[in-house]
Amino acid sequence: MRTRGKITEVFSSVQGEGLYFGEEQIFVRFFGCNLKCKFCDTHLDRFTEYEPEELLQELKLYKNGHATVSFTGGEPLLQKYFLKAILKLTRKEGYKNYLETNGILHSALEDVIDDVDIVAMDLKLPSSTGLKDFWHHHHRFLKVASKKETFLKMVICQDTNEEDLKEGLRLIKEVNKFLILVLQPNSYEEYEPMIEKLERFKDIARDNHITACVIPQLHKKIGLK
Ligand code: SF4
């Protein structure tokens, strides 16, 4: 199927979140998202249309020193046909495919998982996002994602409550207790007042036999894109 993708930007930078923070990656930011998290810092107000092959040619301009392409958004899985096509091309070129996702569109993930190498999956806590809960979707999504290298991320805000954390830990234990959970403080809120909460959340994770680490958004701290 011939398909065009709506892409907001393509750029090279340092991965600023999660377990791969510090790695130089090429970022492909997909246009459009199915959520509206209250802490969202991503502005998707324009896009350029690409054929998969056109996008690959643009990525090749960055080839030196980049092992990994990060497919981010918005939510890349909203454009699953285009995503599938570009994942196949990048993999053939020898790149590692890193998918950043809000962890909800499990059927779309099933269609592309074979060509994904790393899944960076959000667990959207209702007390953080200001939205409804997505536990059922997250559960199904995580089962599919776990076929590949996966880690989880929770954005922790001053409003985030312990019940949501515990529900997330339950879910991780049910699907795969060996997955690492990243607790990421909301970068729009002051860090100092949240230190105690982050430490407490880490302890609760440990008591539930889940490895959790606190990793703030590095790129914002050092002034990178
Ligand atoms: S899922 Fe990500 S891109 Fe979409 S609204 Fe939430 S934070 Fe923003």
Side-chain angles (χ1 to χ4, degrees):
M1 183 195 288
R2 190 154 183 258
T3 177
R4 291 172 75 80
K6 293 180 177 176
I7 302 299
T8 294
E9 56 182 345
V10 179
F11 60 98
S12 158
S13 188
V14 170
Q15 176 56 254
E17 298 183 358
L19 296 186
Y20 279 75
F21 76 99
E23 186 191 25
E24 255 191 81
Q25 298 183 344
I26 311 172
F27 293 79
V28 178
R29 186 176 302 289
F30 280 56
F31 179 79
C33 189
N34 51 334
L35 298 185
K36 239 182 171 169
C37 306
K38 72 178 182 200
F39 51 73
C40 184
D41 59 358
T42 307
H43 306 292
L44 302 169
D45 44 15
R46 66 191 157 78
F47 61 81
T48 305
E49 286 200 332
Y50 286 86
E51 297 278 348
E53 188 60 46
E54 278 174 332
L55 179 56
L56 178 68
Q57 293 312 321
E58 187 160 335
L59 296 178
K60 280 183 175 176
L61 300 176
Y62 296 96
K63 178 91 184 181
N64 284 350
H66 293 81
T68 307
V69 182
S70 173
F71 296 92
T72 185
E75 175 50 62
L77 288 166
L78 283 175
Q79 301 184 56
K80 74 169 180 184
Y81 295 110
F82 177 78
L83 179 63
K84 193 176 172 71
I86 186 65
L87 287 171
K88 284 195 178 305
L89 292 177
T90 46
R91 168 165 273 214
K92 217 164 140 195
E93 275 307 310
Y95 292 104
K96 230 189 275 177
N97 288 331
Y98 180 105
L99 177 66
E100 291 193 294
T101 167
N102 59 31
I104 289 171
L105 303 172
H106 45 84
S107 307
L109 182 68
E110 274 183 45
D111 289 343
V112 304
I113 192 71
D114 286 349
D115 291 305
V116 173
D117 297 297
I118 302 152
V119 183
M121 173 187 167
D122 287 349
L123 286 178
K124 295 293 187 187
L125 311 185
S127 54
S128 295
T129 59
L131 304 172
K132 63 175 185 168
D133 74 70
F134 296 100
W135 300 123
H136 177 67
H137 296 82
H138 282 331
H139 193 277
R140 295 183 68 176
F141 194 100
L142 190 51
K143 278 194 153 169
V144 182
S146 294
K147 293 177 188 164
K148 296 295 177 81
E149 179 183 338
T150 297
F151 71 88
L152 296 149
K153 188 187 80 192
M154 286 178 179
V155 173
I156 306 299
C157 309
Q158 282 175 20
D159 286 343
T160 308
N161 64 41
E162 240 176 74
E163 288 67 42
D164 283 352
L165 169 75
K166 287 178 178 165
E167 193 58 44
L169 294 172
R170 248 193 302 279
L171 187 151
I172 299 169
K173 279 204 288 193
E174 271 173 32
V175 181
N176 181 352
K177 69 174 183 175
F178 297 106
L179 296 174
I180 294 177
L181 171 63
V182 173
L183 302 172
Q184 180 178 293
N186 177 13
S187 52
Y188 282 147
E189 292 177 293
E190 280 194 48
Y191 185 61
E192 300 299 317
M194 259 196 300
I195 292 176
E196 187 272 330
K197 175 186 256 184
L198 289 161
E199 285 302 315
R200 184 159 41 89
F201 278 20
K202 209 159 52 128
D203 290 348
I204 294 172
R206 186 202 53 219
D207 294 346
N208 280 274
H209 311 290
I210 301 291
T211 302
C213 41
V214 175
I215 306 181
Q217 285 183 304
L218 172 84
H219 54 301
K220 291 191 180 150
K221 295 238 171 278
I222 59 176
L224 286 173
K225 185 165 184 171

